[in-house]
Amino acid sequence: MPVCNAFSSALAKKGMNAQQLAIATQSDQGRISQICAGTVTPTSAEYSKIASALGLSSVPASHP
């Protein structure tokens, strides 16, 4: 499952939107929206913050 799909699915399960995720991760809402839409790839640090906020596993080995 691509990162953007995993994040989008987890957001839906948590009942969160990109703005709430940005607040939870202390990140820029625009950047979070881009990551969730799949238009940009999160850095390892961003992935870790988002994954932690959404209860997902750690950065996959294939992540750049």
Side-chain angles (χ1 to χ4, degrees):
M1 176 181 291
V3 170
C4 57
N5 289 345
F7 286 163
S8 294
S9 294
L11 275 173
K13 286 180 185 176
K14 290 254 184 198
M16 295 175 73
N17 61 35
Q19 180 181 13
Q20 293 166 320
L21 181 59
I23 292 167
T25 59
Q26 299 178 341
S27 302
D28 178 72
Q29 181 182 349
R31 176 79 176 162
I32 293 294
S33 293
Q34 291 173 330
I35 291 168
C36 291
T39 58
V40 299
T41 302
T43 64
S44 292
E46 289 171 328
Y47 185 100
S48 293
K49 280 183 178 181
I50 295 167
S52 177
L54 296 176
L56 300 174
S57 62
S58 60
V59 178
S62 63
H63 182 73

